[in-house]
Amino acid sequence: MTSDTGTKAPRRKNMRAEEREKLIVTEAVRFFAESGFEGQTRELAKRMGVSHAVIYRHFESKDALIERVYEHVYLKRWKPDWESLVLDRNLTLRQRLTQFYVEYAERVFDYDWVRIFVSSGLKSYGLTERYLDIVRSKIIEPAALELRRERGEPERTDPPGVDELELFWGLHGAVFYIAIRKFVYNMPLEIDVEAAVRNTVANFFDGTLGRPIESSLGDCSK
Amino acid sequence: MTSDTGTKAPRRKNMRAEEREKLIVTEAVRFFAESGFEGQTRELAKRMGVSHAVIYRHFESKDALIERVYEHVYLKRWKPDWESLVLDRNLTLRQRLTQFYVEYAERVFDYDWVRIFVSSGLKSYGLTERYLDIVRSKIIEPAALELRRERGEPERTDPPGVDELELFWGLHGAVFYIAIRKFVYNMPLEIDVEAAVRNTVANFFDGTLGRPIESSLGDCSK
DNA sequence: TAGATAAGTTACCAAGCGGTCACTTTTGCA
DNA sequence: TGCAAAAGTGACCGCTTGGTAACTTATCTA
């Protein structure tokens, strides 16, 4: 019956533990992004063409797997360069934030990331809080301080007040909402994401009344 | 054993169907907002001090109940006045949008509404899409057309282009993100919501550079 | 190449869950 | 006051689901 040429050909390929674990995490990211964390391990296993017991050979529990998914999705995407970018006084604050948000959107605005982020916010394992702490301390606060200078205010060293922070949370929200519309609300975005981000930052600085409507190519690099 | 005074006192109170249904929906709204739609009917019933079969006497299925929750949460909160408010040329566009978003936030920014809205976005029953259609056609598009006039552009009748719409989606996002931070990400908002909304709208019109940082009392009524 | 070890499978458990049904209790009304 | 209809209960069904264990198959190495 078997048509192989004498050498016992394995019907099934085994993967090395490490490789399989990686694959499980990768698949799980996409899977949980689609189904939410209620998605069943059997379904996930089926996607990999494997029995669901395999998952439990490599992960202690479903929760342990979810933990790994978090790590993979959150921590791996933060670019430490961004922290110095915001402080780089060779550029205007507007240039810095434009570049930051364009790069940020590039790395973070995808189906998996956005949905898992929002899902876990609803579940509140405390992970979104931790992530947003990073955003605040590395981006929002520094930007608020830089704005003082940009505006030519006298040098001060006191930490930014609530209103100064709120301002930049507002920008962050406007940008992030682009991703929410696309990946959570499933609204068709007729403009490409980069252009949307550029426009959002531009409008943040200039205001609506001070600025003509730009084409989607929106240029604010200078 | 029974200490009542002779008249057969009912051990259990029955509710009228209509009243019970209302109570179930009310409780379900809060319950699903907390637990997501995976929350069990037994748990929900326990909160009402009732067996879970009661739910199935009044609702065909869990899905039917969820449907009712949607209705209750979404449709009941839209104020038709808003549609004419946006068009009211006795006010500046800035005044109109400030008032709209302040009222909108007042009605819509609560734990139940925001979480159910986002949850159902992730599940995509198509309901968020329908809701956002209302926002677009009643607020975003009219506002975009009014802005042309505000800017003193020559009268035109063509529908607003993508970029004109994007601009106002940006404002909407910045405002809504306030609610997301508070009820989804569970971030402590140190500023009151109305002030945050006012500041967001003000910044939308003036831009950051053109405007001093305001105190949380942020006044932009004139 | 034998056999130890790692990877994968099948069958199963026990708890959870949506939903139903026969029954009891309450209540409105003739 | 008595009784039929409405409201509520508890036990049960069957499917799902996370998790386990005994077994089979592949792979690495002495």
Side-chain angles (χ1 to χ4, degrees):
Chain A
M1 254 334 185
T2 54
S3 61
D4 51 294
T5 56
T7 62
K8 48 195 164 127
R11 313 173 216 293
R12 197 191 69 213
K13 276 272 173 77
N14 283 358
M15 282 179 116
R16 283 305 184 66
E18 205 188 332
E19 197 184 347
R20 167 107 301 160
E21 275 172 40
K22 268 189 199 164
L23 203 157
I24 292 176
V25 172
T26 310
E27 277 286 335
V29 166
R30 167 50 59 115
F31 178 68
F32 289 134
E34 286 172 16
S35 335
F37 295 120
E38 318 92 72
Q40 325 172 16
T41 51
R42 280 170 172 79
E43 185 67 25
L44 168 58
K46 195 155 65 176
R47 288 196 183 196
M48 299 186 287
V50 122
S51 103
H52 86 287
V54 166
I55 291 173
Y56 291 96
R57 177 178 293 280
H58 295 279
F59 295 89
E60 264 197 9
S61 65
K62 189 182 178 181
D63 277 342
L65 174 58
I66 290 177
E67 205 60 38
R68 283 284 301 274
V69 166
Y70 278 141
E71 261 179 58
H72 191 260
V73 167
Y74 285 136
L75 307 179
K76 297 262 165 92
R77 304 223 196 172
W78 187 265
K79 217 173 133 191
D81 291 358
W82 290 334
E83 302 167 25
S84 47
L85 170 61
V86 178
L87 298 171
D88 178 3
R89 292 190 174 167
N90 293 316
L91 304 170
T92 65
L93 184 56
R94 181 212 202 95
Q95 289 171 319
R96 300 175 223 168
L97 287 179
T98 304
Q99 191 184 331
F100 164 67
Y101 277 113
V102 167
E103 289 182 22
Y104 185 74
E106 218 169 279
R107 279 183 91 112
V108 152
F109 285 11
D110 69 32
Y111 186 89
D112 298 337
W113 197 95
V114 173
R115 290 179 66 96
I116 286 184
F117 189 73
V118 174
S119 287
S120 71
L122 287 166
K123 293 261 142 81
S124 83
Y125 276 80
L127 255 139
T128 43
E129 282 94 325
R130 255 195 282 158
Y131 183 84
L132 289 171
D133 272 352
I134 297 177
V135 174
R136 194 189 49 241
S137 63
K138 304 298 187 193
I139 306 294
I140 305 285
E141 285 178 358
L145 291 175
E146 290 300 304
L147 179 64
R148 292 178 178 173
R149 185 188 172 84
E150 192 92 358
R151 282 174 156 171
E153 291 176 15
E155 204 72 43
R156 290 155 56 193
T157 53
D158 57 314
V162 204
D163 297 291
E164 289 172 281
L165 296 176
E166 278 301 315
L167 194 61
F168 287 94
W169 278 120
L171 171 60
H172 191 79
V175 173
F176 196 69
Y177 195 74
I178 296 168
I180 291 183
R181 272 158 65 205
K182 188 163 179 185
F183 300 114
V184 178
Y185 297 159
N186 207 23
M187 275 179 73
L189 248 265
E190 310 186 43
I191 191 179
D192 76 280
V193 172
E194 182 179 329
V197 170
R198 284 182 188 281
N199 287 340
T200 301
V201 178
N203 192 66
F204 173 74
F205 281 99
D206 289 338
T208 304
L209 296 176
R211 216 169 56 87
I213 298 266
E214 282 157 20
S215 89
S216 301
L217 299 169
D219 174 38
C220 38
S221 57
K222 243 285 128 62
Chain B
M1 260 332 186
T2 54
S3 61
D4 51 293
T5 57
T7 60
K8 48 192 164 130
R11 313 172 215 295
R12 199 191 68 214
K13 275 273 172 76
N14 284 358
M15 282 178 115
R16 282 306 183 68
E18 204 187 332
E19 197 185 347
R20 169 107 297 160
E21 276 172 42
K22 268 189 201 164
L23 203 158
I24 293 176
V25 172
T26 309
E27 277 287 334
V29 166
R30 169 47 59 114
F31 178 68
F32 288 134
E34 285 172 16
S35 337
F37 295 119
E38 319 90 72
Q40 324 171 19
T41 51
R42 280 170 173 80
E43 183 68 26
L44 168 58
K46 195 153 66 174
R47 288 196 183 195
M48 297 186 289
V50 123
S51 103
H52 85 287
V54 166
I55 292 173
Y56 292 96
R57 176 179 294 281
H58 295 280
F59 296 89
E60 267 198 5
S61 64
K62 189 182 178 181
D63 278 343
L65 173 58
I66 289 177
E67 205 61 37
R68 283 284 299 276
V69 166
Y70 278 142
E71 261 179 58
H72 191 260
V73 168
Y74 285 137
L75 306 178
K76 298 260 165 93
R77 305 223 195 171
W78 188 265
K79 219 173 131 192
D81 291 358
W82 291 334
E83 302 167 25
S84 47
L85 169 61
V86 178
L87 298 170
D88 178 4
R89 293 193 174 164
N90 293 318
L91 303 170
T92 63
L93 184 55
R94 179 212 204 95
Q95 288 173 319
R96 301 176 222 167
L97 288 179
T98 302
Q99 191 183 331
F100 165 67
Y101 276 114
V102 166
E103 289 182 20
Y104 185 74
E106 217 170 280
R107 280 184 90 113
V108 151
F109 286 9
D110 69 33
Y111 185 89
D112 298 338
W113 196 95
V114 172
R115 290 179 67 95
I116 286 184
F117 189 71
V118 174
S119 286
S120 72
L122 287 166
K123 291 263 142 76
S124 83
Y125 277 78
L127 255 140
T128 43
E129 283 93 325
R130 253 195 282 158
Y131 183 84
L132 289 171
D133 272 352
I134 298 178
V135 174
R136 194 189 48 244
S137 63
K138 305 297 188 194
I139 306 295
I140 305 285
E141 284 177 359
L145 291 174
E146 290 299 303
L147 179 63
R148 291 176 179 175
R149 185 188 173 84
E150 193 92 356
R151 283 174 155 169
E153 291 176 17
E155 204 73 42
R156 293 151 57 192
T157 53
D158 57 314
V162 204
D163 297 291
E164 289 174 281
L165 296 176
E166 278 301 315
L167 194 62
F168 287 94
W169 279 120
L171 171 60
H172 192 80
V175 174
F176 196 68
Y177 195 76
I178 297 169
I180 291 183
R181 272 159 63 206
K182 187 163 179 185
F183 299 113
V184 179
Y185 297 159
N186 207 23
M187 275 179 73
L189 249 265
E190 309 186 44
I191 192 179
D192 76 281
V193 173
E194 182 177 328
V197 170
R198 284 182 187 281
N199 287 339
T200 302
V201 179
N203 192 67
F204 173 75
F205 281 100
D206 290 338
T208 304
L209 296 176
R211 214 169 58 86
I213 299 266
E214 280 156 21
S215 90
S216 301
L217 298 168
D219 174 38
C220 39
S221 57
K222 243 284 127 65

